[in-house]
């Protein structure tokens, strides 16, 4: 079958692997052995339970996640986790540490402040969020309820290259835009959450990986749907989950495993980003936004000399079939989002386009 697919640099929902889309297409009308679409079956059926459980098993194998962590498939996006995390982990008397590394971190902080005392333990604000604070710049609160980071800053194009040392305090990460893009040491985290629509599948599923110890930490009388314990004790089937989204996420995780797992995709992603940054650094025509040591491997952000030039870049790229390169509306510039499913050859196509544009305009 032939497809007319363009190169999709969208920040999210983002590109999905073609083999995953093709499998979903083949199985859309009738799931093998079931005779109905995955969208038509009960979420309580054995067929759907096996879709869900296989997806969770594959995540455990992919990221080496022990049974002491619960893997939940929720709804409401990472944005609802901004509130669920403090509601579940922060009780009235305690303080939590948040590291303010940009747009999404600020949104997380805003919700936590509704619930309790938030200490901003580090910020990239004075540098326009072009870098991630270093360990010595952090002012962590002894005995904090948890430390919250945004592992990859989708808008600004920065990423934690190594996790902060938070001692015995639980580490919580919004990993929406770099989950499963490289190997992770799960033992360093107590809670990871991510909307699926960047690295893991379609919109509408939110992955939460939580150390069971945290489930009993605080907070009675939470609203049922906002209590992690509801979802943990019902294996993500308290109410109807996003059945199709869970199925797609399962295919995506299988695809990642078939490539060779996180070490393989990590190498591919590092190669993709290095190639593109090398091109950005080559001549000075393109101006990287993030400071070198904080550069994201997922969202590569850069500017041109003028906004007019940037607009021309985006328009000409669109016309050449390279879509989604316009930077986030709040920061402008150019952003190439190159998550797990973005093909390596697509980087070469972008570089070729960038050279041509520079020759015409430079
Ligand atoms: C996209 C994004 C979000 C928001 O995710 P929703 O699923 O739309 O709520 C939060 N955090 C980060 C880092 C993101 O990239």
């Amino acid at each position: 079958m032939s497809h007319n697919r363009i190169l999709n640099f969208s920040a999210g929902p983002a590109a999905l692997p073609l083999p995953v889309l093709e499998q979903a297409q083949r199985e859309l009308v009738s799931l093998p052995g079931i005779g109905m679409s995955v969208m038509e079956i009960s979420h309580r059926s054995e067929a759907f339970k096996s879709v869900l459980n296989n997806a969770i098993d594959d995540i455990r194998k992919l990221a080496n996640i022990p049974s002491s962590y619960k893997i939940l498939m929720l709804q409401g996006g990472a944005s609802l986790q901004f509130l669920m995390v403090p509601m579940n982990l922060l009780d009235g008397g305690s303080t939590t540490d948040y590291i303010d590394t940009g747009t999404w971190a600020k949104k997380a902080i805003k919700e936590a402040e509704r619930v309790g005392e938030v200490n901003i333990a580090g910020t990239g604000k004075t540098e326009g969020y072009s870098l991630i604070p270093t360990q010595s710049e952090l002012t962590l609160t002894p005995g904090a309820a948890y430390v919250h980071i945004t592992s990859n800053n989708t808008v600004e194009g920065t990423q934690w290259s190594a996790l902060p040392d938070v001692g015995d305090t639980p580490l919580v990460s919004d990993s929406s835009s770099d989950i499963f893009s490289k190997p992770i040491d799960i033992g360093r985290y107590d809670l990871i959450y991510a909307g699926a629509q960047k690295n893991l599948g379609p919109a509408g599923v939110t992955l939460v990986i939580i150390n069971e110890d945290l489930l009993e930490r605080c907070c009675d009388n939470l609203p049922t749907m906002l209590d992690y314990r509801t979802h943990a004790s019902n294996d993500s089937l308290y109410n109807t989950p996003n059945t199709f989204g869970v199925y797609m996420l399962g295919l995506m995780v299988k695809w990642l495993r078939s490539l060779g797992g996180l070490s393989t995709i990590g190498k591919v992603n590092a190669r993709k980003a290095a190639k593109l940054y090398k091109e950005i650094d080559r001549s000075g025509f393109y101006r990287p936004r993030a400071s070198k040591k904080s550069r994201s491997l997922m969202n590569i952000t850069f500017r041109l000399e003028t906004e007019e030039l940037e607009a021309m870049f985006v328009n000409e790229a669109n016309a050449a079939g390279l879509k989604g390169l316009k930077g986030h509306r709040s920061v402008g510039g150019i952003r190439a989002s190159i998550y797990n499913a973005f093909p390596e050859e697509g980087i070469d196509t972008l570089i070729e386009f960038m050279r041509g544009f520079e020759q015409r305009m430079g």
Side-chain angles (χ1 to χ4, degrees):
M1 175 171 295
S2 76
H3 303 282
N4 269 318
R5 284 171 60 79
I6 54 90
L7 264 186
N8 179 5
F9 291 91
S10 170
L16 291 166
L18 188 57
V20 164
L21 291 171
E22 287 176 334
Q23 182 174 351
Q25 183 179 44
R26 284 194 303 275
E27 297 180 352
L28 189 74
V29 171
S30 173
L31 206 55
I34 303 301
M36 293 175 278
S37 172
V38 68
M39 290 182 280
E40 299 174 300
I41 60 180
S42 165
H43 60 295
R44 311 259 171 228
S45 64
E46 289 309 313
F48 182 73
K49 279 188 192 165
S50 90
V51 167
L52 176 66
N53 292 333
N54 287 340
I56 289 173
D57 282 351
D58 279 326
I59 290 171
R60 282 200 194 282
K61 288 179 185 140
L62 178 72
N64 224 341
I65 299 173
S67 58
S68 52
Y69 288 77
K70 287 275 186 189
I71 298 175
L72 309 177
M73 306 268 191
L74 308 183
Q75 299 184 64
S79 299
L80 185 57
Q81 294 309 305
F82 295 164
L83 181 63
M84 275 180 80
V85 165
M87 280 182 91
N88 283 266
L89 305 184
L90 182 60
D91 60 35
S94 54
T95 297
T96 173
D97 285 341
Y98 274 65
I99 303 176
D100 168 23
T101 49
T103 306
W104 291 113
K106 278 188 284 192
K107 292 192 174 180
I109 290 165
K110 184 174 168 208
E111 299 308 304
E113 284 173 339
R114 295 178 199 280
V115 178
E117 197 65 44
V118 177
N119 169 50
I120 306 301
T123 180
K125 191 173 179 179
T126 41
E127 295 84 14
Y129 297 110
S130 62
L131 49 73
I132 302 288
T134 59
Q135 185 75 33
S136 65
E137 289 163 344
L138 302 180
T139 51
L140 300 170
T141 309
Y146 60 91
V147 177
H148 181 282
I149 64 167
T150 311
S151 56
N152 183 75
N153 298 280
T154 324
V155 173
E156 295 79 7
T158 62
Q159 187 174 22
W160 290 80
S161 56
L163 293 176
D165 180 359
V166 297
D168 292 335
T169 306
L171 181 65
V172 175
S173 178
D174 173 2
S175 297
S176 292
S177 51
D178 68 352
I179 186 140
F180 300 159
S181 65
K182 58 184 178 183
I184 60 166
D185 180 358
I186 186 70
R188 301 276 310 269
Y189 303 87
D190 281 275
L191 195 161
I192 299 175
Y193 63 89
Q197 67 272 23
K198 285 148 192 162
N199 265 307
L200 271 190
V205 190
T206 313
L207 183 69
V208 174
I209 304 169
I210 181 171
N211 183 341
E212 270 178 348
D213 291 348
L214 286 195
L215 290 173
E216 296 308 327
R217 269 179 66 130
C218 96
C219 312
D220 294 325
N221 287 322
L222 291 179
T224 308
M225 281 294 288
L226 300 183
D227 190 332
Y228 287 130
R229 289 170 294 196
T230 302
H231 303 289
S233 62
N234 289 283
D235 296 323
S236 301
L237 289 170
Y238 172 74
N239 72 324
T240 317
N242 175 353
T243 51
F244 185 70
V246 169
Y247 160 81
M248 289 295 293
L249 192 151
L251 295 185
M252 180 85 189
V253 173
K254 265 204 174 19
W255 174 79
L256 285 169
R257 290 191 64 207
S258 75
L259 295 182
L262 295 186
S263 62
T264 304
I265 196 77
K267 283 183 200 133
V268 174
N269 285 333
R271 207 158 56 215
K272 280 154 55 181
K275 235 184 201 180
L276 189 45
Y277 281 121
K278 190 171 167 209
E279 175 63 17
I280 291 169
D281 289 336
R282 188 177 46 80
S283 72
F285 182 76
Y286 298 105
R287 302 158 181 214
R289 179 187 288 281
S291 116
K292 231 172 199 165
K293 63 182 174 28
S294 301
R295 286 175 167 180
S296 169
L297 306 188
M298 300 277 98
N299 310 97
I300 281 95
T301 51
F302 55 96
R303 307 220 59 153
L304 281 83
E305 191 176 1
T306 63
E307 284 182 21
E308 292 68 38
L309 211 50
E310 288 170 349
M312 282 173 75
F313 181 93
V314 169
N315 286 340
E316 291 193 19
N318 269 332
L322 285 69
K323 308 267 181 175
L325 284 163
K326 194 173 188 322
H328 190 269
R329 61 191 182 281
S330 64
V331 295
I334 313 294
R335 170 173 59 178
S337 298
I338 52 170
Y339 304 119
N340 286 341
F342 187 87
E344 198 162 359
E345 319 79 73
I347 303 291
D348 299 325
T349 311
L350 174 59
I351 289 174
E352 209 175 295
F353 172 81
M354 288 168 72
R355 294 210 170 154
F357 187 80
E358 181 178 340
Q359 268 161 20
R360 288 194 299 281
M361 307 292 166

